[in-house]
Amino acid sequence: MKVSPVTIIDIAKKLGISKSTVSRALKNHPDISQATKDAVNKLAESLNYVPNTVASGFRNKKTKIIGLIVPQISYFFFPSVVQGIEAVVHKKGYKLMILQSDESYEREVENLNVLIANNVEGILSSVSLETRNFEHFQHVIDIGLPIVFFDRIVKGLDTDVVLVDDVTGACKAVKRLIEADRKRIAICTGNMNLLISNNRLQGYKTALIQAEISIDEDLILSCDTPEETEYAVTALLNKPTPPDAIFAISDLTMTGVMKAVFNKKLKVPEDISVIGFCEEPFRSMYHPQLTTIEPMGFEIGHKATELLFERLEDTNNWSLAPRVIYLDSHLKEGGSV
Amino acid sequence: MKVSPVTIIDIAKKLGISKSTVSRALKNHPDISQATKDAVNKLAESLNYVPNTVASGFRNKKTKIIGLIVPQISYFFFPSVVQGIEAVVHKKGYKLMILQSDESYEREVENLNVLIANNVEGILSSVSLETRNFEHFQHVIDIGLPIVFFDRIVKGLDTDVVLVDDVTGACKAVKRLIEADRKRIAICTGNMNLLISNNRLQGYKTALIQAEISIDEDLILSCDTPEETEYAVTALLNKPTPPDAIFAISDLTMTGVMKAVFNKKLKVPEDISVIGFCEEPFRSMYHPQLTTIEPMGFEIGHKATELLFERLEDTNNWSLAPRVIYLDSHLKEGGSV
DNA sequence: ACCGGTTGCGCAACCGGTTGCATTTTTATG
DNA sequence: CATAAAAATGCAACCGGTTGCGCAACCGGT
């Protein structure tokens, strides 16, 4: 049977004082005498009093909750991001409400409403694959709820945004392959509905053009899941002129690439080089360890949350112009190139 | 500038009716005429009305939030669990507040208070490594807040508990190694403060005893992190009589095992067999794929949440005795044995 | 004894939605 | 047309903590 928790009213009654005094005593308000404060604190302690944050959050519209919407909390990238977010959120004494969109537009809209309904003070989000209409995000902005996008951002909205410098990063990766004397470099782009996929593809093209290597559309694979990637890469490897290097734009695609490579019994890096945007515990799982461009999951989450809190703490927050933060991800040598 | 969101009072004023009527109309209460309902719904829609769940949650003590405390949301296991939890929580129209203990006792206590303060309706938790005192959990039980433990459970508390049948699972794993004619089987147990570590070790011993293989304490490595494991396994492999098989009790220890094995340039499974409790995307990342005992992360999260909701939905919940659910995890063949 | 200032505390409204009960309006029936 | 019954709506309290304002008690100084 549920025991009703102790409230300031219970304390007030036992002490024969008013609940306002109890409230102020607990918050160490200067108006209250030390004797009263001591009595209140002592009783509160002994009764295991836990202030009802729902009640106070209701009163002053401060729930101390940050909402997070991610496509999925699996694989490596998003858990890393969550770690980075948590670090800041916890330091600030806030809590995190995590919702998943499952790559569905409908659930994204629904989740946004849930966060609004729960009076979260700010939102962090990485958009779903399916999303092509951004009115729901615009509505969040309209009601003045601070929102920061990371990784999968939305163009054209007046918000802060954090992402890695995809173009440069991808360019670095491909240049590294070219340095290793690779000529037929394939790329596995993720879903082309995402800006990051386009950017990374652009970096790939830039590197090739600068090296005066012509772009072969056959070497550009648009694949989403590990399975799709494995299939596409296998097909490519079976062609008469297979690639001598593969650039995978994410952990997911890299998984598929590596499977295809292993199934073909190709040796890395002797027979084929691979490089990609891969998170730490993932890259060192392979042998040789993968040469990677760091996706900076932790840092992205960390930075995005910092930007969000800057807005929350900026009392006259209309003064802050939307910021676009590019984190530059450096190349980390493994042995796969 | 923050725009104050529309409330039922706004709707009531515009329609010249009382807020109680609006409230009832929105909830499709039979007392309200269809005409009024239509008018209210239409206006609510056009004003983008989002009910304030903090307010209603405050009123009727139903926040529709489930609290989750995990040590960390990284690696494979906990994200899988979260997926399983989310599936049920979302289906029930609830939200998840995820807090991390970072393996710290203090943060665990703090997190529990945060969840109580936020009026969560139920709690799911996997305890921190550091925790040896369980009064904070007892307090949760005392105030009648339903709590279900999973994976890393607490013995001796009157709560529901979900875990895999570690003893049997570990036993299966080791038997599989014995079938493959392995004689010197090492085990990497995790932190021995955890029940699962003890159970899996026990399963290991049971299998050996049944096969009449004597237990060599040198083959029992107690190691926590991938790094520790790598170090310990490397040392073991360098001994005059190295093991011919290794059983790793988790993804983390397996990571270390595989690194040590690769560094020694040992071939799996020719030179050495490996087997472990490993999550799906992880096991198929290696070549050959790992033979594993499934840790059932998704299923554990799913089941734990179902138990929790059974309690929430059981109006006279004192009738339910604490349940202990063992999920039996079967062996999944890879090529590593 | 009187006064201005300080200290400590209580009163009551408020946040937004919910709900038991009273009240008004409509409908049906004699 | 009166009246009882049913349908639709309003009133007001409530949830627990916060806060502006008012007021009494007390202080030291004259």
Side-chain angles (χ1 to χ4, degrees):
Chain A
M1 54 295 73
K2 185 96 174 178
V3 176
S4 68
V6 3
T7 70
I8 53 169
I9 301 175
D10 299 329
I11 297 178
K13 276 186 189 156
K14 297 215 185 201
L15 255 35
I17 59 181
S18 78
K19 64 172 183 170
S20 15
T21 303
V22 175
S23 172
R24 283 189 259 252
L26 290 168
K27 314 203 93 188
N28 203 24
H29 192 287
D31 273 5
I32 307 300
S33 72
Q34 195 56 48
T36 308
K37 282 180 188 170
D38 290 344
V40 168
N41 283 122
K42 194 177 149 207
L43 186 59
E45 175 100 358
S46 75
L47 293 179
N48 261 318
Y49 169 73
V50 179
N52 182 334
T53 53
V54 176
S56 69
F58 171 50
R59 166 63 213 251
N60 44 225
K61 274 101 167 31
K62 294 257 174 202
T63 51
K64 293 217 163 207
I65 299 179
I66 299 296
L68 170 65
I69 303 180
V70 289
Q72 281 221 346
I73 315 183
S74 48
Y75 287 93
F76 283 102
F77 184 69
F78 287 112
S80 295
V81 175
V82 171
Q83 295 288 116
I85 293 171
E86 246 278 327
V88 182
V89 164
H90 177 255
K91 194 178 69 193
K92 296 284 187 180
Y94 276 61
K95 284 90 57 185
L96 205 51
M97 181 173 285
I98 304 180
L99 301 175
Q100 299 181 240
S101 64
D102 257 331
E103 306 290 11
S104 143
Y105 167 72
E106 304 236 323
R107 283 199 58 177
E108 195 171 85
V109 175
E110 179 194 324
N111 286 341
L112 235 27
N113 277 329
V114 167
L115 294 180
I116 294 171
N118 280 279
N119 278 6
V120 299
E121 294 185 38
I123 295 178
L124 296 164
S125 179
S126 201
V127 309
S128 134
L129 269 178
E130 239 181 71
T131 307
R132 267 141 241 240
N133 173 318
F134 304 102
E135 280 170 25
H136 50 310
F137 288 121
Q138 186 59 52
H139 176 234
V140 168
I141 298 168
D142 289 345
I143 63 174
L145 188 51
I147 181 166
V148 176
F149 290 100
F150 60 88
D151 189 52
R152 302 192 191 168
I153 67 162
V154 175
K155 262 186 165 171
L157 291 180
D158 264 8
T159 65
D160 293 334
V161 143
V162 178
L163 64 175
V164 295
D165 186 345
D166 294 306
V167 180
T168 311
C171 194
K172 274 186 203 168
V174 176
K175 278 187 176 157
R176 178 69 187 81
L177 294 171
I178 294 170
E179 270 172 39
D181 217 32
R182 301 299 172 172
K183 307 288 186 199
R184 286 188 58 74
I185 301 173
I187 179 173
C188 296
T189 78
N191 188 299
M192 291 309 288
N193 190 34
L194 296 177
L195 189 59
I196 52 170
S197 297
N198 287 289
N199 284 344
R200 291 174 189 186
L201 176 58
Q202 192 193 320
Y204 163 86
K205 288 183 177 173
T206 306
L208 291 185
I209 290 169
Q210 287 183 5
E212 295 181 348
I213 297 176
S214 63
I215 290 166
D216 181 348
E217 291 292 335
D218 287 348
L219 295 178
I220 300 176
L221 306 177
S222 173
C223 34
D224 226 1
T225 63
E227 293 71 30
E228 266 179 52
T229 311
E230 183 181 348
Y231 182 81
V233 172
T234 303
L236 185 62
L237 291 175
N238 283 333
K239 288 198 176 176
T241 52
D244 54 13
I246 303 180
F247 168 43
I249 74 140
S250 66
D251 292 329
L252 269 75
T253 49
M254 183 60 95
T255 307
V257 168
M258 292 306 278
K259 283 199 189 183
V261 166
F262 274 108
N263 287 341
K264 287 288 291 181
K265 305 231 188 308
L266 297 177
K267 283 233 180 326
V268 173
E270 293 81 357
D271 303 331
I272 192 163
S273 294
V274 298
I275 195 168
F277 276 86
C278 299
E279 278 290 336
E280 181 44 63
F282 177 85
R283 67 178 282 273
S284 60
M285 207 161 279
Y286 288 100
H287 293 268
Q289 292 190 176
L290 303 178
T291 299
T292 54
I293 302 292
E294 298 187 78
M296 313 279 282
F298 184 91
E299 291 77 9
I300 288 177
H302 197 90
K303 188 66 190 173
T305 315
E306 280 184 347
L307 293 187
L308 186 63
F309 275 101
E310 279 176 28
R311 264 182 209 284
L312 292 181
E313 287 159 4
D314 180 32
T315 42
N316 47 340
N317 56 2
W318 48 82
S319 68
L320 264 64
R323 291 159 291 179
V324 178
I325 306 289
Y326 285 102
L327 300 177
D328 74 313
S329 54
H330 18 263
L331 190 137
K332 201 160 188 174
E333 280 296 344
S336 68
V337 171
Chain B
M1 57 287 82
K2 184 94 175 181
V3 176
S4 66
V6 3
T7 71
I8 52 169
I9 300 175
D10 299 330
I11 297 179
K13 277 186 186 155
K14 296 216 185 203
L15 255 35
I17 59 182
S18 78
K19 65 173 183 169
S20 14
T21 303
V22 175
S23 172
R24 285 188 258 253
L26 289 168
K27 313 203 93 188
N28 203 23
H29 191 287
D31 272 6
I32 306 301
S33 72
Q34 195 56 48
T36 308
K37 283 180 187 171
D38 290 345
V40 168
N41 285 121
K42 194 177 150 207
L43 186 57
E45 175 100 359
S46 76
L47 291 178
N48 262 317
Y49 169 73
V50 179
N52 183 336
T53 52
V54 177
S56 69
F58 170 49
R59 166 62 213 252
N60 44 223
K61 275 100 167 34
K62 295 256 173 205
T63 52
K64 294 219 162 206
I65 299 179
I66 298 297
L68 170 65
I69 304 180
V70 289
Q72 280 220 347
I73 314 183
S74 48
Y75 287 93
F76 284 101
F77 183 69
F78 287 112
S80 294
V81 174
V82 171
Q83 294 288 118
I85 292 172
E86 246 279 327
V88 181
V89 163
H90 178 254
K91 194 179 67 194
K92 296 284 186 178
Y94 276 60
K95 285 90 57 184
L96 204 50
M97 182 174 286
I98 303 181
L99 301 175
Q100 299 181 242
S101 64
D102 257 330
E103 306 289 14
S104 143
Y105 167 72
E106 306 236 323
R107 282 199 59 178
E108 196 172 85
V109 174
E110 179 194 323
N111 286 342
L112 235 27
N113 277 328
V114 166
L115 294 181
I116 294 171
N118 279 280
N119 278 4
V120 300
E121 295 185 37
I123 295 178
L124 296 165
S125 179
S126 202
V127 309
S128 134
L129 270 179
E130 240 181 70
T131 306
R132 268 142 240 235
N133 172 318
F134 304 102
E135 280 170 27
H136 50 310
F137 287 121
Q138 185 59 53
H139 177 234
V140 168
I141 298 167
D142 290 344
I143 63 174
L145 188 52
I147 182 166
V148 176
F149 290 99
F150 60 88
D151 190 52
R152 302 192 190 170
I153 68 161
V154 175
K155 263 187 165 170
L157 291 181
D158 265 8
T159 64
D160 293 335
V161 143
V162 178
L163 65 175
V164 295
D165 186 344
D166 294 306
V167 181
T168 310
C171 194
K172 273 185 202 168
V174 176
K175 279 188 175 157
R176 178 70 187 79
L177 293 172
I178 294 170
E179 270 171 39
D181 215 31
R182 299 300 172 170
K183 306 289 187 202
R184 285 187 60 73
I185 301 173
I187 179 173
C188 296
T189 78
N191 188 300
M192 292 308 289
N193 190 34
L194 296 177
L195 189 60
I196 51 169
S197 297
N198 287 289
N199 285 343
R200 291 175 189 186
L201 177 58
Q202 192 193 319
Y204 163 84
K205 288 182 175 173
T206 305
L208 291 186
I209 290 169
Q210 286 181 8
E212 296 181 349
I213 298 177
S214 63
I215 290 166
D216 182 345
E217 291 292 336
D218 286 349
L219 295 177
I220 300 176
L221 306 177
S222 172
C223 35
D224 226 357
T225 64
E227 293 71 30
E228 267 178 52
T229 311
E230 182 181 350
Y231 182 81
V233 171
T234 302
L236 185 62
L237 291 175
N238 282 334
K239 288 199 176 176
T241 53
D244 54 14
I246 304 180
F247 167 44
I249 73 141
S250 67
D251 292 329
L252 269 76
T253 51
M254 183 59 97
T255 306
V257 168
M258 293 305 278
K259 282 198 189 184
V261 165
F262 273 109
N263 286 341
K264 286 288 291 181
K265 305 232 189 310
L266 296 177
K267 284 233 182 324
V268 173
E270 293 82 357
D271 303 331
I272 192 163
S273 294
V274 297
I275 196 168
F277 276 86
C278 299
E279 278 290 337
E280 182 42 66
F282 177 85
R283 67 178 282 273
S284 62
M285 208 161 278
Y286 288 100
H287 294 267
Q289 292 191 176
L290 303 178
T291 298
T292 54
I293 302 293
E294 299 187 77
M296 314 278 282
F298 185 91
E299 291 78 9
I300 288 177
H302 197 91
K303 188 65 191 174
T305 315
E306 280 184 347
L307 292 187
L308 186 63
F309 275 100
E310 278 176 28
R311 263 180 210 285
L312 292 181
E313 287 160 4
D314 179 31
T315 44
N316 47 341
N317 57 2
W318 47 81
S319 67
L320 263 66
R323 291 159 291 179
V324 178
I325 307 289
Y326 285 102
L327 301 177
D328 75 312
S329 54
H330 18 263
L331 191 139
K332 201 159 187 174
E333 281 295 343
S336 68
V337 171

